[in-house]
Amino acid sequence: AQSVAQPEDQVNVAEGNPLTVKCTYSVSGNPYLFWYVQYPNRGLQFLLKYITGDNLVKGSYGFEAEFNKSQTSFHLKKPSALVSDSALYFCAVRVPAGAGNNRKLIWGLGTSLAVNP
Amino acid sequence: DAGVIQSPRHEVTEMGQEVTLRCKPISGHDYLFWYRQTMMRGLELLIYFNNNVPIDDSGMPEDRFSAKMPNASFSTLKIQPSEPRDSAVYFCASTQVYQETQYFGPGTRLLVL
């Protein structure tokens, strides 16, 4: 079965320190990978995606993620965390398969990031 | 663009009542998704439409749930009868065929007493 794992329910970092939110996946085929962020009482917002090309992708708010095919990972990173980065982060994957209009994303359970002042 | 619009933002109802949630996707988007978010199960895809046609409803929990998309600018998710375990935040999202990014609405927080 295809799945996405976010092994940490919560990540705590001090403001100014680098942060990493982990994501691994188990799918057949070449995946499209995504990170979304959810602030309290808001809908999810797109951060970044990997479709093809350079394994390091840059997104909104200074976030970046590296696609590692051998480790089936897509960890989210930021060099210097801000208190305002505190939110719930979701990893998701889609496997485009042949023709058709399948747009179903497989979602991780989310990781709560707390950045302490 | 106003983004994805959902109404109501909050709904409190009693068990057994009918609940209707509404969604207006971003103009020009041809995919629409309904999600449910709970602490226990995280984010679940309930159903999605392409050009107003349901493509995958395998996530709809049971017959009490139904969704329609009568035109490109409106969709409803109905729960009849509602039960306390339906309490959750329901999100609608939309995207275009040439995009991969899903754009989420603000959600409807449903509480069934």
Side-chain angles (χ1 to χ4, degrees):
Chain A
Q2 303 189 102
S3 63
V4 173
Q6 293 182 241
E8 300 155 318
D9 291 337
Q10 181 151 348
V11 171
N12 295 292
V13 299
E15 187 174 30
N17 282 2
L19 70 86
T20 299
V21 182
K22 295 179 180 177
C23 173
T24 59
Y25 61 90
S26 175
V27 300
S28 54
N30 295 316
Y32 294 177
L33 295 152
F34 306 85
W35 278 101
Y36 284 78
V37 61
Q38 185 180 27
Y39 298 101
N41 300 314
R42 303 283 295 275
L44 279 71
Q45 297 177 31
F46 170 77
L47 269 183
L48 50 79
K49 65 187 176 190
Y50 171 82
I51 304 298
T52 188
D54 193 348
N55 289 345
L56 183 65
V57 294
K58 295 185 182 297
S60 307
Y61 313 121
F63 284 93
E64 59 187 28
E66 186 166 12
F67 171 57
N68 188 320
K69 188 171 184 178
S70 62
Q71 296 186 4
T72 62
S73 67
F74 190 58
H75 301 330
L76 180 70
K77 299 184 179 185
K78 187 173 182 180
S80 178
L82 300 173
V83 172
S84 58
D85 293 329
S86 299
L88 189 58
Y89 291 80
F90 290 93
C91 181
V93 63
R94 181 171 93 82
V95 181
N101 54 9
N102 174 30
R103 286 305 184 97
K104 188 172 184 176
L105 290 178
I106 304 165
W107 294 87
L109 292 179
T111 298
S112 179
L113 173 66
V115 181
N116 307 305
Chain B
D1 200 313
V4 176
I5 299 172
Q6 291 188 247
S7 65
R9 294 292 309 275
H10 303 272
E11 178 83 26
V12 180
T13 191
E14 293 188 346
M15 182 173 64
Q17 296 298 307
E18 178 179 294
V19 175
T20 299
L21 311 181
R22 297 172 176 80
C23 175
K24 176 179 169 54
I26 293 173
S27 177
H29 283 192
D30 42 16
Y31 283 87
L32 184 140
F33 305 82
W34 281 103
Y35 290 94
R36 178 172 68 177
Q37 185 178 34
T38 61
M39 291 292 291
M40 293 298 294
R41 292 194 296 271
L43 193 66
E44 303 173 277
L45 175 66
L46 299 177
I47 185 171
Y48 78 95
F49 296 83
N50 177 219
N51 291 324
N52 314 335
V53 176
I55 302 301
D56 186 338
D57 65 353
S58 59
M60 295 287 263
E62 49 199 274
D63 292 345
R64 297 185 298 107
F65 285 69
S66 62
K68 294 182 180 180
M69 193 165 185
N71 58 62
S73 59
F74 184 66
S75 177
T76 59
L77 178 68
K78 187 175 293 186
I79 309 172
Q80 166 65 16
S82 58
E83 297 183 1
R85 58 191 169 123
D86 302 329
S87 298
V89 182
Y90 291 82
F91 289 104
C92 176
S94 70
T95 191
Q96 288 179 305
V97 64
Y98 297 113
Q99 283 191 341
E100 288 292 336
T101 302
Q102 292 187 16
Y103 295 85
F104 282 74
T108 296
R109 188 173 296 272
L110 173 66
L111 177 61
V112 183
L113 302 174

